[in-house]
Amino acid sequence: MDCVYKDPAAPVEARVKDLLSQMTLPEKIGQMTQIERSVASPAAIRHRFIGSVLSGGGSKPFENAKSADWAEMVDGFQKGALETRLGIPIFYGVDAVHGNNNVYGATIFPHNIGLGATRDADLVRTIGEVTAIEVRASGAHYAFAPCVAVTRDPRWGRSYESYSEDTEIVRKMTSLVTGLQGQPPEGHPMGYPFLAGRKNVLASAKHFVGDGGTDKGINEGNTITSYEDLERIHFAPYLDCLSQGVCSVMASYSSWNGKRLHTNHYLLTEVLKNKLGFKDQNPHAIHYSLNDNLPQGFIISDWEALDRLYVPHGSNYRQSILSTINAGIDIVMVPFRYELFLDEFLSLVESGEILMSRIDDAVERILRVKFIAGLFEYPLTDLSLLELVGCKAHRELAREAVRKSLVLLKNGKDGKKPLLPLDKKAKRILVAGTHADNLGYQCGGWTITWEGTTGRITEGTTILDAIKEAVEDEAEVIYELNPTPETFSGQDFSFAVVAVGEGPYVESGGDDPELKIPFNGSELVSLVADKVPTLMILVTGRPLVLEPELLEKIDALVVAWLPGSEGRGVTDVVFGDYEFEGRLSVTWFTSVDKLPIHAGENSSDPLFPFGFGLSC
């Protein structure tokens, strides 16, 4: 072969060195640029040497586009990249944070807060394997996951993206990285990126660092803490991700003691790039050791992060580029103003304000990951994977995850007989509430659209669907969204199942200083519980206010978190086919004026302590 970089048998580092030596400055900075699919085209990728494309949350080829439609779109972009002078392939990134959740018909798993309640690292790794297959079937190569934030305040609008308030649980759940990327071989160097094959995807540990610890839980806010506590609480999961060969790390919108993470050279370059590494296997200790300039993966910005550095939004753009690139960001998720970004970026390098050594460091990292991922050899979608999307085995895994995530907080009152497990042969069952027959509410944010929405948004089973399947033929199931006193006139209900909870939300839109059950959920449950023995199912991304009067009225309380597309996992447990296994991965507060509250620190007087969960 004429070029070493085109030889699949050549060592990765030799290929990187060879290709880098042939690249022009515009080709290099193009690799550092990630743009949104809505402004991307094969021509734009060819002319500006774009290195990667992404779908923002909910951005898709068209409404209800399935995996085959996505693959056709991604391959079209890829063909544009392959027509460039050097033929460097793009990778395509998606927010696959609980399955390939942008795609209609994909398997939707519980959000991370529910998976944390399982404490099951093997389950999470397997979920990663399935997610990777469904992402690759859609043409994408890169999942912006896992979120390894340690949530310290439920008022934070991204609490459900965190596995736990407890660092050790979050560390266990980093097994998702191995699921997504594959298992590195014995002796794989710490921090060196890894990808097993064409059924795997690049992972991105996010959001570095401290995003779950902001003051008062304000999204994109300020984490006010010592370096020692930042290290002890928030760094540790990243070490576990690096030990699994994670290909990238995403910087956080948030600040640490007033300094934006995206412009923090100390944390991004001196700590993350140059110093992170294990010295021993003590799971409770973090040690740093110089990695002898060991090659690593790349650091990517978050969505439009540069536009958020100054007020008004998008101002001082040249300075934003300068400060983020020099801090250590390797790929900028632009995502729209790529022409302006590239022009200003080029000018900054030509003026000497950004050194060529910084550019070469970033591009080396990007190319290394592309070679390791096999994109030069296999740039296009393996269409044989399409038949696996949303298949029975994948949905059964999601159903298992739902089962294991459910947490039983109450069963029976006044020392009387427990309500659970429910009787499948009951004569007449009332099912009610905003979340009983709403797949969109079950799935939450980051599902089909960015914010999530209501209704039959994709393929799946609601709690009501699952109840109708679970009961015996002689049982009559009556569903009313909002029961009234008249509902009970002349009826003889054996029991009621009332599902209430949060509507979908994402990021700052989910910040909530009150944490009350929306849609008058408490009042609805109370009305029903006054008339008939009641199981309350709370569909939520975090602990919410539970008034003592409500807790006294209901007979049983199950927290289902945001279970995703497989409602049968709920009925598997409440009807007694499986035991409750879930345990709280966060402390349940008594009132918002007691926040923040978490295990081991400031944890007095919880309503339900960290780790609580009944069996029946």
Side-chain angles (χ1 to χ4, degrees):
M1 292 189 178
D2 295 336
C3 301
V4 173
Y5 84 86
K6 294 182 179 179
D7 180 3
V12 165
E13 296 306 316
R15 299 178 78 182
V16 171
K17 182 178 180 181
D18 179 60
L19 179 52
L20 188 68
S21 71
Q22 299 184 50
M23 294 175 71
T24 64
L25 178 56
E27 288 169 333
K28 290 178 179 179
I29 64 173
Q31 287 299 304
M32 298 173 69
T33 305
Q34 187 172 80
I35 68 174
E36 218 282 328
R37 56 153 292 278
S38 61
V39 298
S41 67
I45 292 167
R46 281 196 306 271
H47 295 151
R48 299 308 298 254
F49 312 109
I50 301 299
S52 58
V53 181
L54 84 155
S55 279
S59 178
K60 45 189 170 285
F62 51 84
E63 198 67 25
N64 294 341
K66 294 199 170 186
S67 295
D69 306 307
W70 281 75
E72 182 179 4
M73 175 190 69
V74 175
D75 284 352
F77 292 140
Q78 188 69 281
K79 289 170 185 175
L82 298 177
E83 291 170 0
T84 57
R85 182 179 72 94
L86 295 169
I88 303 173
I90 62 164
F91 50 69
Y92 195 100
V94 292
D95 286 293
V97 298
H98 63 140
N100 195 18
N101 42 262
N102 279 317
V103 178
Y104 189 91
T107 309
I108 308 297
F109 292 94
H111 268 296
N112 288 351
I113 191 71
L115 297 180
T118 72
R119 310 293 204 274
D120 192 335
D122 290 336
L123 172 68
V124 170
R125 187 193 68 250
T126 309
I127 287 170
E129 293 170 359
V130 166
T131 299
I133 288 170
E134 297 203 7
V135 169
R136 287 306 291 258
S138 72
H141 321 91
Y142 183 15
F144 302 131
C147 177
V148 294
V150 180
T151 181
R152 307 296 273 181
D153 195 320
R155 292 172 290 189
W156 184 38
R158 306 190 79 157
S159 291
Y160 65 82
E161 296 185 55
S162 169
Y163 294 106
S164 179
E165 69 183 38
D166 179 71
T167 301
E168 293 308 309
I169 290 178
V170 177
R171 292 185 72 174
K172 283 182 66 176
M173 300 300 131
T174 64
S175 59
L176 189 80
V177 171
T178 292
L180 292 170
Q181 296 190 164
Q183 178 68 54
E186 190 75 27
H188 185 79
M190 168 72 180
Y192 195 86
F194 176 80
L195 196 84
R198 297 181 70 190
K199 292 183 179 180
N200 299 96
V201 294
L202 316 178
S204 185
K206 66 182 188 182
H207 308 85
F208 189 83
V209 59
D211 51 335
T214 60
D215 185 42
K216 297 180 179 61
I218 296 171
N219 189 50
E220 303 180 25
N222 188 22
T223 299
I224 305 168
T225 190
S226 66
Y227 180 84
E228 290 72 25
D229 280 350
L230 188 72
E231 178 185 273
R232 177 177 60 86
I233 297 168
H234 299 286
F235 272 8
Y238 291 92
L239 296 168
D240 296 286
C241 293
L242 289 168
S243 73
Q244 295 170 70
V246 71
C247 287
S248 72
V249 172
M250 185 184 294
S252 177
Y253 289 131
S254 60
S255 302
W256 173 51
N257 293 336
K259 173 72 171 176
R260 295 286 192 115
L261 264 298
H262 274 83
T263 61
N264 196 314
H265 181 271
Y266 173 68
L267 290 178
L268 293 181
T269 295
E270 295 181 45
V271 174
L272 178 56
K273 283 188 172 181
N274 295 341
K275 293 182 181 178
L276 281 183
F278 289 120
K279 270 192 156 183
D280 64 30
Q281 298 303 311
N282 180 354
H284 300 291
I286 299 174
H287 299 276
Y288 293 139
S289 61
L290 290 175
N291 276 336
D292 300 321
N293 296 315
L294 177 71
Q296 297 170 324
F298 58 82
I299 300 177
I300 188 168
S301 84
D302 208 335
W303 171 273
E304 259 189 349
L306 276 64
D307 298 86
R308 303 184 189 210
L309 292 177
Y310 292 95
V311 178
H313 184 89
S315 61
N316 270 358
Y317 199 51
R318 182 182 177 90
Q319 179 61 37
S320 297
I321 298 169
L322 176 65
S323 57
T324 52
I325 298 298
N326 280 341
I329 298 292
D330 300 310
I331 295 180
V332 173
M333 202 182 287
V334 176
F336 300 117
R337 300 194 293 171
Y338 69 91
E339 297 275 10
L340 174 63
F341 171 78
L342 286 166
D343 291 344
E344 293 283 17
F345 195 177
L346 182 64
S347 172
L348 285 164
V349 181
E350 290 177 338
S351 70
E353 294 169 86
I354 296 176
L355 299 179
M356 186 57 71
S357 58
R358 173 76 272 272
I359 301 302
D360 285 347
D361 170 64
V363 178
E364 280 182 4
R365 293 168 182 273
I366 298 161
L367 296 179
R368 178 175 300 116
V369 169
K370 288 187 175 185
F371 283 122
I372 287 167
L375 288 177
F376 285 81
E377 289 69 53
Y378 302 105
L380 302 179
T381 306
D382 178 359
L383 298 178
S384 70
L385 298 176
L386 285 170
E387 65 184 14
L388 297 175
V389 175
C391 67
K392 188 175 189 296
H394 290 186
R395 293 189 182 277
E396 284 298 316
L397 178 67
R399 182 175 178 174
E400 176 189 353
V402 176
R403 286 198 298 267
K404 292 182 173 180
S405 70
L406 300 180
V407 178
L408 178 62
L409 296 182
K410 180 179 180 180
N411 191 18
K413 60 183 179 180
D414 303 327
K416 295 179 182 177
K417 182 181 176 182
L419 181 63
L420 300 181
L422 299 176
D423 183 4
K424 294 181 182 180
K425 297 180 180 180
K427 181 179 178 182
R428 184 174 292 118
I429 302 167
L430 174 65
V431 179
T434 48
H435 291 59
D437 192 33
N438 195 314
L439 198 58
Y441 284 5
Q442 242 174 249
C443 293
W446 298 109
T447 314
I448 305 301
T449 65
W450 175 52
E451 294 178 306
T453 188
T454 184
R456 295 272 174 177
I457 61 170
T458 188
E459 297 170 1
T461 306
T462 68
I463 294 170
L464 175 64
D465 295 334
I467 290 172
K468 289 178 176 178
E469 289 182 17
V471 298
E472 300 290 343
D473 291 343
E474 60 265 29
E476 181 183 5
V477 176
I478 296 172
Y479 170 65
E480 283 202 28
L481 178 64
N482 291 299
T484 65
E486 289 70 37
T487 300
F488 303 91
S489 178
Q491 298 280 12
D492 183 21
F493 292 112
S494 304
F495 56 81
V497 178
V498 186
V500 297
E502 296 188 296
Y505 55 84
V506 287
E507 302 189 26
S508 298
D511 285 358
D512 185 353
E514 297 184 347
L515 296 176
K516 295 179 180 178
I517 300 175
F519 311 116
N520 297 314
S522 294
E523 293 80 358
L524 175 61
V525 174
S526 182
L527 183 150
V528 175
D530 279 338
K531 305 290 186 181
V532 63
T534 297
L535 164 62
M536 175 181 172
I537 298 178
L538 189 58
V539 178
T540 179
R542 54 193 163 188
L544 299 175
V545 173
L546 292 170
E547 299 292 351
E549 297 82 1
L550 179 66
L551 283 173
E552 288 173 10
K553 283 186 178 185
I554 60 177
D555 295 79
L557 172 59
V558 171
V559 183
W561 309 111
L562 298 170
S565 60
E566 304 310 305
R568 294 184 183 94
V570 175
T571 52
D572 282 344
V573 181
V574 299
F575 282 98
D577 294 330
Y578 292 83
E579 293 288 328
F580 281 92
E581 296 183 42
R583 301 291 181 265
L584 292 179
S585 64
V586 288
T587 302
W588 206 291
F589 61 91
T590 52
S591 61
V592 292
D593 59 2
K594 300 287 182 68
L595 296 172
I597 179 173
H598 32 76
E601 305 169 43
N602 189 31
S603 59
S604 61
D605 193 31
L607 184 63
F608 299 104
F610 170 85
F612 183 82
L614 301 172
S615 300
C616 72

